[in-house]
Amino acid sequence: MWKQFLKHTWLLICNAVLMTAGGAILLRYGQSMTNEAYLGGFCAFMCMGILLILSISCVGEIAGDISSWFKLLLLLDMILSLTSIGTNAFEGNAELVLVNYFLEFLLFSSVTLLCCFYWYYIRRELMAERKLPVESMKRRSRAVNCTAGVSILLLILNQFSGFLFRINEAGVYQRSPLFLISWVCPSLVLVSTTVLILSQKIRLSWKLVHLSYSILPVVIYPIQVVHAKMMPLNIATTFSLLLMYCVNYMNRRDVMLKQKERLAVTEKEMLELEVQLMISQIQPHFLYNTIAMIRGLCREDPEGAADSLGYFASFLRGSLHMMQEKECISIEEELKLVDSYMYLEQKRFGERLEYIEDVEDVSFRLPAMTIEPLLENAIHHGVTKKEEGGMILLEVAEQEESYVIRITDNGIGFDTNRAVDTKQHVGMQNVRERLRSMCGGTLELVSVVGEGTSAVIRIPREPV
């Protein structure tokens, strides 16, 4: 449980703690800072707020789709913002020289690691989009690691010699003549990442968004040299991360939503095909039996044959119409088809089949061909399996939260604990799936061997 919690919230917790620390430093030392230093610290704190919001998104619904490298970029940029506030706040404080040295080391290390992790983030994104040569990527990654290692080593050595920068006894930050060396390694990593992006045949919008992380710091660097306390580099990296998140991950979320919509459409089309298949399975044997029955009536009962032929035409017309119906139909339309079907079946089985309807005056909608398959199962696998036949009762009623359709027979029943033969019970699973997906309905079967079966359909009054 704790592992799962930390897996999704570690970034948010870390960034919340860092932002709290940055705010505390700004409140405590803000009055003693110069105007430029305070403005730079305030801008860094605003950047921390943006990063915290992005961190919240990392525990949201698309958290699993966000790269771990992007999360590390957010964390490092938060550390960069905190060190920017700290170095501005502690500037000129002789008692905090060691703290300032540590913060400057952390600041420059963060810049180096930001460039390094940016490389790995881009590599991961490109490999997700297209295939890249594995060996070539490994060699480039080793070169990036070595470059970052050299940069960190130089920063460590600077703590002892001050050949890049130093903090004097008065607590004032001073650049050394070799200061620009500290930017060589990060720049090389940025150049390498830029070349990798430009070398790929991928959409231009993706390139422009992700190149912002390497281009903006270069464009902003002259301002950084002149107004170091304003920390424009921090602002540039935060803006770039925000841009990458909005364009990359929000676009990916749209793609996921479109995929879900297409999947839903595909499922609906499959259900439509299934219902057509179900009807095609019902029709052949029913047509054959009905035609044979009408043929027999032509000699014995011409008037009954004429009536049967009229109901038969009504059933065929209704069935063909429902085969093309993609939405739910009214209960009145469904019952018309049921009446035609049951008239023909009663004509066929005679006294062996008794049919009773108890239908309340209600109006609602349900998937086409929902009741007829259940009646067919009740006839052919229930009451007509008994020599003396049996009775089928169709009830349609309105309850407080749903409409209820109940089909009860006193046939042979079946053992509900045994697997149902789907080939024998035509359309049962199909009816259940269409009810669930098209109107949020349910189908329940209750059966007792030797006593009969009850099929209960419940359709919510409120649309689902």
Side-chain angles (χ1 to χ4, degrees), residues 279 283 315-325:
I279 294 172
Q283 298 282 354
F315 177 81
L316 289 178
R317 184 166 52 249
S319 297
L320 291 173
H321 168 70
M322 290 183 180
M323 286 181 67
Q324 300 174 352
E325 189 62 57

Side-chain angles (χ1 to χ4, degrees), residues 115-141:
C115 296
C116 183
F117 291 168
Y118 171 57
W119 158 267
Y120 280 103
Y121 165 70
I122 292 298
R123 190 187 76 164
R124 187 261 186 188
E125 291 297 303
L126 287 175
M127 292 186 75
E129 293 264 350
R130 56 196 292 111
K131 291 184 178 180
L132 296 177
V134 177
E135 289 302 321
S136 175
M137 287 298 100
K138 286 183 177 179
R139 287 195 299 271
R140 293 188 185 186
S141 296

